[in-house]
Amino acid sequence: MDDETAEIELLEQNLNKTRQISQRMTSILSSFDTRLVKLEKSILPLYNSTQVLTRRANNIESALQKIDEIASYHEGVAAEEALILRGPQPNQLSAYTEVLERMNVSVAFNSTDSRDKARLVESGAKKLIQLYTKLVAEGSSGVPPGGSEFTSVPFPASLMTTLKPLVTFLRTLPLPATHPSHPAAAGIQSALKDAQKGYGDMRGAWVRKCLETFGKRVVDRAETIDGVAAGMEVGKWTENMLAVADEEYNLLLELAPLATPAAISTTYATLISPLTNLFTSTLGSLGSLIKRNLNKNTFLALSAYSSLTSLQPRWNEIMSRRADRKENELKEGLHSIRASCLRSFPEFLADIRMAGLGKGGELGTGVADFTISTVQYLERMPAVQDAAASALLTLGDGNWKMGEGTQIGKTKTTEVDEQTVLEHFTYDVVNATVASLLALSRMNKRPAFGAIFLLNNISYLRTHLIVRPRTDIPSILSRPSQELLNSNFRTAKAGYFDANFSPLLQTLIDEKDKGKSAVKEKFTRFFDLLDEVTERHSMARVLQDDPEGRATVADEAVKLVVPSLQRFIQRNLGKEFSKNPQKYIKMSPEDVESLIKGFYSGGSSSGAPTVPAPEKLTNTLLQQAGWGW
């Protein structure tokens, strides 16, 4: 019990101490609280003042930052303005376009200085357009290609590397159609239109310059080379022009700043205008050349017509439709050339018939000029067969006779095809040539020479048109034409033998109750006539340019004369018509055969065949008759 009381008292003592400590702490804390209140009251005005200063400091800092930003911005605008006004520099095109693009964006967002920036955008765009024009001018100048063959001149690749990105940017510039509220849109569009028109002018002048030399060459060569080849050159030159125009169209699609269909068509029409003018003037020169001497230049007209007709579809597409043009210079040129072609057929026949009237002088025995020209005409015809047949069909079957006979009207023309009408024309050409040759041969005062003339000319026609043609003439000659030539050749050959050898054969005809003097006279007459034939053939060569034909005629002449002479000699040697037969029988049949074959040797026409001496008469022949020398 005492122990518990002692612990209680101890606890109470400790509690009292704790209470005393707590009271002292409370007193101290109260004192601190009083002091803190006093301190707060003294610090609060300072704190309030400090906060005001801090806000002012922040405001000042913000104002300074804004001032720096504005100053920096104006410095950048000034630099960009200087860059734009200076214009694009080499190798700095991308930087220049980026500046313009930024300014254009700020104009689009209606910034406070958008009008000033719009003026800068317009100025920069015009600088770029000037660069575009300069590059196009550089690519459209220089020395045109030379040589005999035309080669296209592509746009320089070194300039294309700059032009392509430039054109790409120019196509993004504001235009009234795409940016109706942009202040610079109208000015930029006007500048682009001028630049694009300049592009068409410069490229058109350049390609004309490249083609003009070759056009003059075509006209000059047309007077000196074969007409068919010259006409093909006209077609080739026109084809090159179309190829160049096609290349330029594709280049325009790639380099035109204004790529709308209407703008492309307008610019392309400007570009090809020098080409169409060049084509018209060149074809006009060729037309004048053809009309000046239609007979000589017929095949130039036909070949050119054939070559150009095949190009009409390409011309329609490249030169008319793409440029939205109604004019068609090729079609107009073809009408003019076709008119010359239509006129050439009746004029050629008229020239042949005119040749049959003669020139009033002595007719030779060689191949006549109009015979050679007829062969050359028909030899060239297969090369222009389609054009000639088309023109003849347009003229009308038979209308080339210029009033001779019955003309065939249009209703009949529709019933024949091109091959048939061409065969009809060639028949009339052959028939007119043969008729003129017959007329000329009859005009000769010496029929024997007329017969040689007719044989030489008819054989020349037949050989070159049927027997050994140098071109595909048989494809345009009908069977009646060939039969006409063969029949007249046989007639001409028979007439030649009749005029030159019939008098010889008539002297060898035996007459009853005729004495030795008649036989002597016949031999004398035969060899006198043979001398005349020899002299004639020394002056007039037969089939001089036809070795095979000469050999055939020689064999036929020998078979015609020599057997008759042999029979006549054999019949009369036994009658002892003379004590000196070699005086009358000047040559043996073998020598006569050699002499006749000499008429047709390939030697010069000035050399006479060799006549054997009388003493060379064959002893065998006389010995057979019982005579000796």
Side-chain angles (χ1 to χ4, degrees), residues 580-593:
N580 187 15
Q582 67 270 25
K583 179 179 178 181
Y584 301 99
I585 307 176
K586 298 179 181 180
M587 299 172 63
S588 68
E590 289 80 4
D591 290 335
V592 171
E593 178 178 347

Side-chain angles (χ1 to χ4, degrees), residues 367 456 460 463-464 468 542-550:
V367 180
N456 283 338
Y460 184 88
T463 299
H464 289 84
R468 290 187 297 275
V542 177
L543 308 182
Q544 187 170 359
D545 297 324
D546 184 8
E548 294 182 12
R550 285 201 309 272

Side-chain angles (χ1 to χ4, degrees), residues 64-98:
L64 290 175
Q65 288 179 356
K66 290 294 181 180
I67 291 172
D68 290 340
E69 289 177 4
I70 293 172
S72 175
Y73 170 78
H74 282 288
E75 288 178 1
V77 169
E80 290 178 346
E81 182 178 353
L83 177 64
I84 290 172
L85 295 177
R86 188 167 63 248
Q89 301 300 310
N91 302 321
Q92 292 183 356
L93 180 62
S94 59
Y96 193 85
T97 56
E98 287 174 2

Side-chain angles (χ1 to χ4, degrees), residues 196 249 252-253 256 258-272 318-325:
Q196 193 148 314
Y249 181 76
L252 176 63
L253 293 177
L258 299 173
T260 61
I264 292 293
S265 295
T266 303
T267 306
Y268 184 62
T270 302
L271 190 153
I272 64 173
I318 296 174
M319 307 299 277
S320 295
R321 191 193 65 80
R322 290 180 180 177
D324 196 20
R325 300 169 64 243

